[in-house]
Amino acid sequence: MAKSQRAAARHILVKTEKQALDLKRRLGQGQDFGVLAKRFSTCPSKKSGGDLGEFGRGDMVKAFDDVVFKQLTNEVHGPVKTKFGFHLIETIYRD
């Protein structure tokens, strides 16, 4: 069953933990996730406001996957460090 699990998420990827924490604070003050992703994210998904679409368990690096498939949905989690940088991750849904 674990391999068939699907989810959709969006993220903001930045180079430093400090920048990720600053963006998380701004999100907490009500700033728009998509707008911040378009402005600050270093991932190509920034064009779509950080939207990664739907993917399966195991499709992303482990630290990212663990947040998407184990943490609460519709909340911003992070910073999560991967080989790509620091992510703020919001899981939209998962089955």
Side-chain angles (χ1 to χ4, degrees), residues 3-95:
K3 277 294 177 196
S4 65
Q5 198 171 14
R6 309 281 302 160
R10 60 185 182 166
H11 77 140
I12 301 172
L13 174 63
V14 293
K15 296 277 187 218
T16 68
E17 185 174 25
K18 183 179 183 296
Q19 188 178 18
L21 289 167
D22 180 59
L23 290 170
K24 189 169 187 179
R25 180 186 55 77
R26 292 168 72 166
L27 289 166
Q29 294 171 340
Q31 292 191 35
D32 184 81
F33 193 104
V35 170
L36 292 176
K38 285 179 180 179
R39 183 159 175 210
F40 296 104
S41 186
T42 60
C43 179
S45 69
K46 71 191 254 171
K47 293 185 187 108
S48 58
D51 188 356
L52 295 167
E54 188 177 276
F55 52 89
R57 186 187 266 289
D59 289 345
M60 302 293 183
V61 294
K62 185 176 182 341
F64 195 99
D65 217 51
D66 284 349
V67 170
V68 171
F69 289 98
K70 294 178 182 174
Q71 300 296 325
L72 294 173
T73 58
N74 299 307
E75 285 189 15
V76 177
H77 299 281
V80 176
K81 185 176 182 355
T82 70
K83 64 183 179 181
F84 303 105
F86 292 87
H87 306 260
L88 295 178
I89 304 166
E90 181 183 15
T91 304
I92 310 300
Y93 67 83
R94 69 173 169 257
D95 62 17

